[in-house]
Amino acid sequence: MMEKNKKAVIQQQRNSYKTYSKAYDAIYNMVLLDEKINYYTVADKAGVSRSYLYQHEALSDMIQTFSTLQKTDSSPSALKEEYDKARKRLEDAKERLHKAKEEYNKL
């Protein structure tokens, strides 16, 4: 009897792991493919319920994080564009500093 219960527990753990892995893999693939990420799309892609996603804090956090990033357009091309803008501002600031030092040295 104990052996039967032990096997049932092990099988339940395997099923739980498989379900969690399906959800995690769905999120991962959706990020790679730059697909829209929210509870509905992930649940649909993974074949799990939205309540399952809400109940698992790590999955829920991932969905919220990636959803927010998508809203702020943090795609690789957008991040590169922001980086280039920041680099240009830094170069401009260095140039202004250099000119200010030259003017100061003339005094």
Side-chain angles (χ1 to χ4, degrees):
M1 184 72 171
M2 277 296 263
E3 187 65 29
K4 193 174 186 180
N5 287 339
K6 193 173 185 179
K7 286 181 181 179
V9 168
I10 290 171
Q11 185 61 37
Q12 184 179 8
Q13 289 173 338
R14 284 184 188 146
N15 289 343
S16 178
Y17 176 77
K18 286 179 186 178
T19 303
Y20 189 90
S21 293
K22 283 188 341 185
Y24 180 87
D25 291 345
I27 295 169
Y28 182 79
N29 289 328
M30 292 172 80
V31 169
L32 291 178
L33 297 172
D34 199 27
E35 295 178 2
K36 184 175 182 177
I37 296 175
N38 59 41
Y39 288 95
Y40 180 79
T41 57
V42 173
D44 186 51
K45 187 77 116 182
V48 298
S49 68
R50 286 178 286 173
S51 64
Y52 178 85
L53 298 172
Y54 283 108
Q55 290 170 357
H56 290 81
E57 187 177 351
L59 295 173
S60 184
D61 288 346
M62 288 173 60
I63 292 168
Q64 290 175 10
T65 299
F66 290 123
S67 179
T68 302
L69 287 174
Q70 286 178 336
K71 289 177 187 171
T72 60
D73 192 24
S74 295
S75 64
S77 59
L79 291 174
K80 170 109 174 63
E81 186 176 320
E82 288 300 316
Y83 171 78
D84 290 342
K85 287 178 185 177
R87 188 176 191 133
K88 176 74 171 121
R89 287 192 304 269
L90 180 60
E91 289 172 8
D92 292 345
K94 283 182 181 179
E95 187 177 322
R96 287 193 306 274
L97 177 62
H98 181 69
K99 286 181 182 179
K101 282 183 179 180
E102 285 179 352
E103 287 181 26
Y104 177 77
N105 289 334
K106 287 180 184 178
L107 297 176

